[in-house]
Amino acid sequence: MATIKDVAKLSGVAVSTASYALNNSKKVSEETRQKVLAAAKELNYQKNGLASDLKRTSTNTIALILSDLSGPYYSELIKGVQDVASTNGYDLIACSSIGGAQSTAVKFLREKRVDGVIILAHNIDDTTILESAREGFPIVVLDRSVQNEHVVQIEVDNEHGAFMATEHLIEKGSRDIAFVSGPYNSHDNELRFKGYQAALQKHGIDYRSKWKVSGGFTREGGYQATKMLIAQKDVPQAIFFANDEMAIGGLQALNEKKISVPDDISIIGFDDIQLSEYVSPPLTTMRQPKYEAGALAVHLIFQVLSKEKVDHNYKLTTELIERKSVKR
């Protein structure tokens, strides 16, 4: 079955332009529209008819699509979405994007079975989002960049937050600082690594590849990554974990080897999940506004549904939370 990406390729235009043309947007010329329509006809491209039928009436429902419904990071985000949605008389459907293009979440998106969608799922590709975006169907993406007039972006300032975390370790006396990363295809992880490198560069510290290991944003991944660093027999003075779950796994690995935090090594995380305050020692971390991001996303959806003008790019700040896992 042909996709809008195939139509765009055959007609020699961008996917967003093909989407505009197929939805009769005034943003494209008549010549371009005819070229795209001809390509769509040649490929037998069919728009989802169910989508048009379902969007004639409101469902009073917002969908939240997440990479994974488990894990402590998502609870505050979901609460922010739920609180604002329920206050406005809307229901919330939370979907996992496990399965990618074949997931139920993608069906909700493509068939527009809800009034608006919030997406924090990097395995849903930009093309799918662009195919679904249109006037009257607001989509808010979290921590990614998708340029479209019907898509709103909310990003946390991951790069600056990571810069602040790394600089905090440096200011407390560490120079050999390891970075335990999330998945390499994660937009958040990429920005946090850039911030880490920028802080090293500012303070004249050479980046060494041996200090970068992957933990995949999971507690088990952080545990294994820390064991790998210890196995090198040249333990760094500090470790910046790109999220708190990995840092908590790292704490376990260090405790098993009788490496004291923070006396022997300092560690810092990112996110400020609830558990980070209750581990031993309590975790120093970068707090990102999870509840606020969810609440803002729903507010923006309601503004778009009310035909109010909104900005298309929002950036939220992070905050250093000092506890006891960094040497003073």
Side-chain angles (χ1 to χ4, degrees):
M1 181 181 295
T3 68
I4 194 170
K5 191 173 182 180
D6 299 322
V7 175
K9 184 176 180 180
L10 181 60
S11 54
V13 300
V15 171
S16 57
T17 302
S19 177
Y20 293 146
L22 291 168
N23 286 291
N24 295 317
S25 170
K26 294 179 181 178
K27 285 185 170 289
V28 296
S29 67
E30 180 61 23
E31 181 183 355
T32 299
R33 192 175 77 85
Q34 291 300 329
K35 184 166 59 174
V36 172
L37 291 175
K41 183 177 181 180
E42 181 177 339
L43 294 170
N44 197 28
Y45 171 75
Q46 297 292 327
K47 291 176 63 177
N48 193 317
L50 177 61
S52 300
D53 294 339
L54 289 171
K55 285 309 294 175
R56 288 174 185 162
T57 58
S58 171
T59 66
N60 278 16
T61 306
I62 302 294
L64 173 62
I65 301 177
L66 302 172
S67 299
D68 187 347
L69 296 180
S70 64
Y73 171 81
Y74 295 115
S75 60
E76 289 186 56
L77 174 73
I78 293 172
K79 182 167 174 51
V81 174
Q82 182 175 280
D83 284 354
V84 177
S86 62
T87 299
N88 286 273
Y90 271 63
D91 293 322
L92 170 66
I93 296 175
C95 312
S96 164
S97 64
I98 292 174
Q102 306 306 316
S103 66
T104 300
V106 169
K107 290 182 180 179
F108 269 107
L109 188 60
R110 284 181 170 156
E111 297 178 2
K112 303 175 178 65
R113 294 174 178 265
V114 292
D115 292 340
V117 180
I118 301 164
I119 301 173
L120 179 55
H122 296 289
N123 58 340
I124 294 181
D125 60 34
D126 290 356
T127 300
T128 299
I129 295 171
L130 290 170
E131 286 177 356
S132 305
R134 73 176 193 184
E135 187 175 358
F137 183 65
I139 297 176
V140 178
V141 294
L142 303 179
D143 286 342
R144 70 191 294 172
S145 177
V146 180
Q147 300 297 326
N148 183 279
E149 66 174 324
H150 303 306
V151 177
V152 178
Q153 304 170 69
I154 300 176
E155 292 190 84
V156 169
D157 197 345
N158 286 288
E159 185 171 349
H160 184 63
F163 178 91
M164 290 171 60
T166 308
E167 187 166 65
H168 180 67
L169 294 172
I170 295 169
E171 289 173 346
K172 296 300 181 181
S174 297
R175 292 186 67 82
D176 293 337
I177 303 171
F179 179 80
V180 176
S181 79
Y184 290 113
N185 63 349
S186 162
H187 181 60
D188 294 356
N189 183 73
E190 179 185 351
L191 293 174
R192 291 174 195 178
F193 181 56
K194 285 178 66 176
Y196 159 80
Q197 288 184 304
L200 295 182
Q201 184 177 18
K202 176 186 173 182
H203 291 272
I205 301 172
D206 291 334
Y207 164 69
R208 289 190 282 173
S209 59
K210 76 171 187 174
W211 291 138
K212 183 185 180 185
V213 292
S214 177
F217 278 161
T218 67
R219 192 178 307 183
E220 176 62 23
Y223 173 79
Q224 295 296 344
T226 305
K227 287 181 68 174
M228 188 184 307
L229 288 170
I230 295 169
Q232 293 186 92
K233 298 182 179 179
D234 183 15
V235 179
Q237 295 171 300
I239 306 175
F240 171 29
F241 291 88
N243 79 349
D244 288 352
E245 285 197 67
M246 293 191 299
I248 291 168
L251 266 175
Q252 181 184 348
L254 293 166
N255 288 335
E256 287 177 0
K257 293 297 183 180
K258 311 298 183 188
I259 299 173
S260 175
V261 178
D263 294 335
D264 299 326
I265 188 170
S266 292
I267 71 170
I268 193 168
F270 202 109
D271 286 341
D272 192 31
I273 61 174
Q274 290 184 345
L275 186 58
S276 64
E277 187 176 357
Y278 300 104
V279 294
S280 181
L283 183 65
T284 295
T285 185
M286 297 303 302
R287 174 180 292 162
Q288 62 165 306
K290 301 174 287 297
Y291 180 94
E292 293 84 348
L296 175 60
V298 185
H299 273 300
L300 291 168
I301 283 177
F302 289 143
Q303 288 178 50
V304 173
L305 290 173
S306 299
K307 301 188 184 303
E308 298 175 23
K309 288 187 177 180
V310 300
D311 292 333
H312 284 76
N313 296 278
Y314 295 82
K315 185 162 284 190
L316 306 180
T317 59
T318 57
E319 176 188 1
L320 175 66
I321 304 299
E322 292 190 62
R323 295 195 178 106
K324 297 182 178 179
S325 64
V326 175
K327 189 177 296 184
R328 297 181 181 275

